[in-house]
Amino acid sequence: MAGDRIVGFLMYEAPQDDDEARIYRFMIDRVHQGQGYGKAALREVLDEIMRLGHISHVLICYEPGNEAARRLYRAAGFVEEGPDEDGEMIADLALRGEQP
């Protein structure tokens, strides 16, 4: 949200019986891209996931040709693992100083 406007959508899963969280959807409306909303939203969701206390890795997938997403996730510390069965890039973020 930016004031009373919806600028994006994010959905993740962090099962209590797993140490891995998965961000399934992370979208910023095209009109609002390039204004820092993605970076702020990613920082907020990662802080929220870390506060859960049981998560050591966060996974996210994105289209390999999406350079803006690649730069955003890389800057946050995500490391690319390679494409999934659908051709989307999988990236992993190790929390608490762990390595993927």
Side-chain angles (χ1 to χ4, degrees):
M1 300 289 295
D4 61 349
R5 291 174 299 148
I6 296 172
V7 298
F9 173 78
L10 189 143
M11 179 176 67
Y12 75 90
E13 173 184 49
Q16 190 63 38
D17 63 346
D18 195 349
D19 70 340
E20 187 175 275
R22 287 165 289 286
I23 298 175
Y24 289 116
R25 295 285 181 265
F26 183 28
M27 299 176 279
I28 301 297
D29 186 313
R30 191 173 309 249
V31 173
H32 300 289
Q33 291 178 7
Q35 299 175 34
Y37 294 118
K39 184 176 181 179
L42 184 59
R43 184 174 42 245
E44 288 292 324
V45 76
L46 292 175
D47 286 347
E48 181 175 309
I49 290 170
M50 287 179 68
R51 284 192 302 272
L52 296 174
H54 69 282
I55 300 297
S56 61
H57 288 270
V58 180
L59 293 180
I60 195 162
C61 293
Y62 55 93
E63 290 295 326
N66 186 340
E67 287 301 319
R70 174 176 275 135
R71 285 190 304 274
L72 175 65
Y73 303 141
R74 189 173 288 160
F78 283 87
V79 176
E80 291 181 344
E81 293 187 336
D84 67 8
E85 65 275 357
D86 296 321
E88 289 194 337
M89 182 59 67
I90 301 170
D92 177 73
L93 174 65
L95 302 178
R96 294 186 280 249
E98 298 180 20
Q99 295 301 312

